[in-house]
């Protein structure tokens, strides 16, 4: 199959590219490589897949030095003409949309970026699917759609009408737009509600990375809501495997419109998470206890019954194991980075 993965220089997208190539698919990766966080990490992820920074040109395909089946294009979802041309040239079978402006805190500072990438950009993806060969769209949603009022564990059929951040509102908007394109044009749309993902080459703007970095550098970490937060931390391989289970085995007879939680289903208190980080790296955290940040939720907790019933899959990597693997990657990455 010919598959487009957007957000291919991002944390989750880069892992999905790898998994798809392993399964023998042809993949085009797309990303605008924006500077929301350190682009060196985005280029490093691309380099892991054989795409060298020096070979990347705006709007042009670069073929991976590791696999002829992987090509990468630097393109923005909001570039309507560029997107249209790409879809016309490539005849994709499936699109996996991971590109988005992520992060809750930044949506307070820069709301426009969320509307641009997550709403206008997502509309372009839907329109291109509609007008070309694409039968199936898998796209990233988020646990943040559950807001603060949902009972735990969060079930997919719970009401999600009360988002508390613009980020969450754009993810909910994506689900609604996907529903429309399913109803009107028979596109199969599968929304993936991810729960706090961490692991090797993870996002530097998220707590696991920020905390580990600060602990190792002896810097102070800010612990929101005085540590009284629960997060359903989910290891990246569990996310990748969950998406691949859906991808490999989704029914194709009829167009579908579904959303799935993909989360560990075992929320961890923030303080416990910090203690596991401390134990893993053998250093104590210096902590500054602060209030809740606006837009944040007290806890996330995935009910994964639907994923299990439909695909027989449940995430399984423990926080101890996941942090150990994350820590090993981090030490390796920072060493090779500092050595040039
Ligand atoms: N990581 C998590 O914990 C988590 C949790 C819930 C949902 N999600 C969602 O999963 C998806 C992937 O998240 P991630 O953690 O890999 O984030 P990420 O920021 O690492 O990856 C997103 C990538 O998309 C690219 N991008 C952003 N806007 C773009 C645009 N307009 N055009 C082209 N490329 C663009 C960025 O450069 C980035 O490389 C996102 O949609 C995110 O909202 C992530």
């Amino acid at each position: 199959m010919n598959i487009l993965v957007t957000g291919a220089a991002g944390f989750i997208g880069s892992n999905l590219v790898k998994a798809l190539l392993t399964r023998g698919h042809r993949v085009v990766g797309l990303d605008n490589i924006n500077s929301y966080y350190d682009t060196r990490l985005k280029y490093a992820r691309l380099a892991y897949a054989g795409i060298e920074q020096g070979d990347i040109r705006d709007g042009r395909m670069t073929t991976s030095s590791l696999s002829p089946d992987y090509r990468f294009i630097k393109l923005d979802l909001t570039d309507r003409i560029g997107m249209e041309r790409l879809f016309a040239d490539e005849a994709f079978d499936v699109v996996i949309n991971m590109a988005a402006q992520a992060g809750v805190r930044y949506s307070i500072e820069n709301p426009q970026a969320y509307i641009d990438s997550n709403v206008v950009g997502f509309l372009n993806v839907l329109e291109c699917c509609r007008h070309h060969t694409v039968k199936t769209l898998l796209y990233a949603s988020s646990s943040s759609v559950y807001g603060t009022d949902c009972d735990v564990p969060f079930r997919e059929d719970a009401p999600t009408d009360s988002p508390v951040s613009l980020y969450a509102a754009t993810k909910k908007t994506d689900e609604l737009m996907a529903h429309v394109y399913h109803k009107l044009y028979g596109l199969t749309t599968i929304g993936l509600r991810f729960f706090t993902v961490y692991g090797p080459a993870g996002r530097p703007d998220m707590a696991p990375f920020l905390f580990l970095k600060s602990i190792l550098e002896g810097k102070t970490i800010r612990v929101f809501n005085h540590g009284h937060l629960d997060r359903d931390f989910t290891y990246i391989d569990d996310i990748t495997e969950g998406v691949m289970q859906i991808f490999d085995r989704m029914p194709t007879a009829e167009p579908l419109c579904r959303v799935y939680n993909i989360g560990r289903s075992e929320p961890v208190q923030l303080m416990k998470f910090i203690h596991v980080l401390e134990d893993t790296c053998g250093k104590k955290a210096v902590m500054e206890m602060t209030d809740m940040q606006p837009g944040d939720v007290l806890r996330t907790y995935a009910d994964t019954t639907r994923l299990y019933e439909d695909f027989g899959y449940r995430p399984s990597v423990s926080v101890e194991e996941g942090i150990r693997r994350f820590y090993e990657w981090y030490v390796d990455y920072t060493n090779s980075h500092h050595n040039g």
Side-chain angles (χ1 to χ4, degrees), residues 141-147 154 160 167-168 171 192-196 231-232 261-262 297 299-302:
S141 181
S142 165
S143 61
S144 64
V145 300
Y146 292 108
F154 298 157
T160 50
Y167 170 65
K171 289 294 175 182
L192 308 156
R193 292 178 177 170
F194 299 135
F195 285 66
T196 318
R231 283 291 175 273
D232 206 349
N261 289 336
I262 309 187
V297 298
R299 57 183 170 176
T300 61
Y301 182 174

Side-chain angles (χ1 to χ4, degrees), residues 6-14 30-37 42 45 75-78 97-103 116-118 121 140-144 167 171 192-198 203 205-206:
T6 74
F11 177 31
I12 301 174
S14 58
L30 174 155
D31 205 294
N32 66 0
I33 320 183
N34 67 40
S35 51
Y36 166 59
Y37 59 76
K42 297 187 181 182
R45 295 185 188 119
L75 189 67
D76 198 301
L77 294 186
T78 61
N97 188 59
M98 292 292 125
Q101 179 55 58
D116 292 346
S117 291
N118 306 4
S141 181
S142 165
S143 61
S144 64
Y167 170 65
K171 289 294 175 182
L192 308 156
R193 292 178 177 170
F194 299 135
F195 285 66
T196 318
V197 191
Y198 72 100
R203 287 228 319 264
D205 61 316
M206 290 180 62

Side-chain angles (χ1 to χ4, degrees), residues 75-253:
L75 189 67
D76 198 301
L77 294 186
T78 61
D79 177 350
R80 204 142 57 93
I81 294 167
M83 289 285 285
E84 180 58 37
R85 196 178 302 137
L86 174 69
F87 276 70
D89 287 350
E90 291 295 330
F92 297 116
D93 302 294
V94 177
V95 172
I96 305 185
N97 188 59
M98 292 292 125
Q101 179 55 58
V104 167
R105 199 175 329 154
Y106 187 62
S107 67
I108 291 164
E109 264 168 62
N110 190 351
Q112 194 66 47
Y114 291 77
I115 302 301
D116 292 346
S117 291
N118 306 4
V119 181
V120 178
F122 192 65
L123 175 67
N124 289 343
V125 172
L126 287 167
E127 277 289 282
C128 285
C129 291
R130 167 190 171 197
H131 290 297
H132 295 279
T133 44
V134 181
K135 297 270 177 302
T136 305
L137 169 67
L138 275 70
Y139 64 96
S141 181
S142 165
S143 61
S144 64
V145 300
Y146 292 108
T148 50
D149 302 332
C150 269
D151 294 336
V152 288
F154 298 157
R155 286 169 50 101
E156 289 90 342
D157 54 10
T160 50
D161 306 324
S162 314
V164 292
S165 67
L166 190 72
Y167 170 65
T170 61
K171 289 294 175 182
K172 175 68 186 177
T173 302
D174 289 350
E175 294 185 357
L176 296 172
M177 289 164 72
H179 184 262
V180 172
Y181 274 69
H182 163 73
K183 280 282 172 204
L184 291 184
Y185 311 116
L187 182 67
T188 285
T189 64
I190 302 195
L192 308 156
R193 292 178 177 170
F194 299 135
F195 285 66
T196 318
V197 191
Y198 72 100
R203 287 228 319 264
D205 61 316
M206 290 180 62
F209 195 114
L210 288 169
F211 287 175
L212 180 62
K213 182 172 190 294
S214 296
I215 294 172
L216 291 172
E217 293 175 1
K219 294 190 179 142
T220 304
I221 61 179
R222 291 173 73 205
V223 182
F224 291 108
N225 205 33
H226 304 266
H228 301 302
L229 292 175
D230 290 347
R231 283 291 175 273
D232 206 349
F233 291 103
T234 308
Y235 187 67
I236 181 66
D237 290 4
D238 281 340
I239 295 287
T240 309
E241 189 54 30
V243 178
M244 285 300 109
Q245 290 288 331
I246 296 173
F247 175 87
D248 286 342
R249 298 165 53 203
M250 71 199 154
T252 49

